[in-house]
Amino acid sequence: MYSKILILHFPPVITQKPIVYYLTKNFDLLFNILHARVSSEKAGYMVLEISGTKDNFNKGIKFLKNHDIKITSAEHEILRDDEQCTHCGACTAICPTEALSIKRPEMEVIYDKKKCSVCELCILACPTRIMKLSSKNTENIFK
Ligand code: SF4
Ligand code: SF4
């Protein structure tokens, strides 16, 4: 059994379609949704563990890509340039997992990487652009 945790980034036109259901129906893949933020008419994302044979896994990935779903893997991580952080707090309002939070009374923005689901929302939210997506290893199954 092959298994990986992936983050699927859905464009707005896809969010109302049961795309993930087709992973099971068409490719006999099992999935476990770990975290999701999907709303109608807006871009959304889903963190899920997908399991199955390697062959079916690859077919499922191809199917998702053909539907304009961007895929990153949990082998990626989000890094923060701590020295450049202004502790403005903008990222804490958007972070769904509370990986970014405000420590009081110091009003210091703390980044707890262990809680991060790599949804990438903070990359756009950070006005100083100091949140970066980084690869943990060199494997890239999405090319
Ligand atoms: S990528 Fe950023 S917004 Fe998303 S969970 Fe990680 S720290 Fe929070
Ligand atoms: S939005 Fe950027 S600069 Fe502001 S607290 Fe978050 S990481 Fe720091």
Side-chain angles (χ1 to χ4, degrees):
M1 180 79 80
Y2 187 77
S3 181
K4 265 196 181 291
I5 297 176
L6 303 175
I7 301 103
L8 312 185
H9 302 260
F10 298 91
V13 290
I14 296 290
T15 49
Q16 294 192 42
K17 296 182 183 172
I19 290 289
V20 174
Y21 159 75
Y22 289 111
L23 293 177
T24 298
K25 184 172 183 289
N26 295 357
F27 308 106
D28 203 22
L29 292 168
L30 302 174
F31 64 86
N32 180 24
I33 297 174
L34 304 174
H35 191 82
R37 179 175 283 187
V38 180
S39 60
S40 58
E41 295 171 17
K42 285 186 183 168
Y45 75 94
M46 193 178 281
V47 182
L48 72 172
E49 183 173 20
I50 301 177
S51 309
T53 67
K54 183 78 187 280
D55 189 44
N56 283 349
F57 180 89
N58 289 338
K59 285 177 183 166
I61 295 297
K62 193 173 176 188
F63 168 81
L64 294 172
K65 288 180 69 181
N66 286 342
H67 284 82
D68 293 329
I69 295 168
K70 184 184 156 208
I71 306 167
T72 51
S73 98
E75 278 74 26
H76 288 76
E77 61 186 344
I78 297 290
L79 301 178
R80 181 175 78 168
D81 183 348
D82 290 335
E83 288 185 4
Q84 300 299 320
C85 180
T86 60
H87 300 277
C88 68
C91 57
T92 62
I94 201 160
C95 178
T97 64
E98 298 182 359
L100 290 154
S101 62
I102 298 175
K103 181 181 172 191
R104 299 174 196 273
E106 297 88 343
M107 300 308 285
E108 182 185 341
V109 173
I110 305 294
Y111 174 40
D112 183 350
K113 205 163 64 172
K114 292 191 295 299
K115 291 184 181 175
C116 178
S117 67
V118 201
C119 70
E120 301 181 35
L121 294 176
C122 56
I123 293 177
L124 291 175
C126 175
T128 50
R129 297 286 184 262
I130 59 167
M131 305 301 288
K132 306 274 186 205
L133 181 67
S134 172
S135 196
K136 277 185 184 172
N137 58 38
T138 53
E139 181 190 13
N140 191 341
I141 57 174
F142 309 123
K143 281 186 175 169

